[in-house]
Amino acid sequence: MATRNLVIGMMFLLQTVFGILGNFSLVYHFLFLYFTGRRFRPADLIVSHMTLANLLVIFSKGVSETMTAFGLKLFLNDIGDVSIGTTCLLSVFQVIVISPRDSRWAELKVKCPQYIGTCSILCWILNMMLNILVPFHITEKRIKANITKKMDYGYCYTVFYCKITESLSLLLVLFHDGFCLVLMVWASCSMVFKLHSHNKC
């Protein structure tokens, strides 16, 4: 094994191990709150959804990338990003929560906690709809068909059968991710501005 692959494999392994440990500690925390009957804060629901999304990413992408970096490539068969949406939701929620009571967010600040569950479920549904075609375009490495338009991930291929479907999928994912990114940047800037103006008072 080349030194470069070993270094990449170790980096993926460390990220995967620390990601699993960190997210499982959050799962333990939420289970502890649940079984002791303690009250969940509104942001806890968003963080629990983000934890689940992170674990799904780690187990589906992190483990496979780590195994590929260490040279194991033929371990998946054909059936083998809620995270950005949930992070965006958490950012917007934090902006609303830290806004002053006399701001234009005051009314929304009171209603916000009761809509967190619905918004989190909508994030999951939207991501499932965006990624519903992914299983139809992934094929394992052992298939030796002569496919000209494919992307190699090391452990599987993404096969593009139709240019229109490929372009439409790419456009929808870019729009979704771009929209979430713009909202997160706006929320982060708003929080910095609010906290800065609060410190000046």
Side-chain angles (χ1 to χ4, degrees), residues 140-172:
E140 61 176 311
K141 296 279 285 189
R142 282 173 280 213
I143 292 180
K144 302 293 184 191
N146 189 10
I147 302 164
T148 54
K149 188 108 167 112
K150 66 185 178 187
M151 188 175 293
D152 188 357
Y153 292 106
Y155 50 89
C156 66
Y157 291 121
T158 301
V159 182
F160 304 110
Y161 298 107
C162 175
K163 187 71 176 168
I164 296 169
T165 308
E166 177 191 350
S167 301
L168 186 62
S169 298
L170 182 65
L171 187 67
L172 287 172

Side-chain angles (χ1 to χ4, degrees), residues 167-186:
S167 301
L168 186 62
S169 298
L170 182 65
L171 187 67
L172 287 172
V173 170
L174 284 175
F175 176 76
H176 169 262
D177 290 353
F179 179 72
C180 288
L181 189 63
V182 167
L183 270 180
M184 285 190 286
V185 168
W186 167 80

Side-chain angles (χ1 to χ4, degrees), residues 26-35 40 44 47-48 51:
L26 286 171
V27 169
Y28 171 77
H29 170 71
F30 291 126
L31 287 174
F32 178 78
L33 289 179
Y34 176 77
F35 285 117
F40 279 84
D44 287 343
V47 175
S48 64
T51 302

Side-chain angles (χ1 to χ4, degrees), residues 82-100:
V82 180
S83 222
I84 190 169
T86 314
T87 306
C88 174
L89 180 63
L90 182 62
S91 300
V92 172
F93 176 74
Q94 287 172 332
V95 165
I96 293 170
V97 166
I98 68 166
S99 61

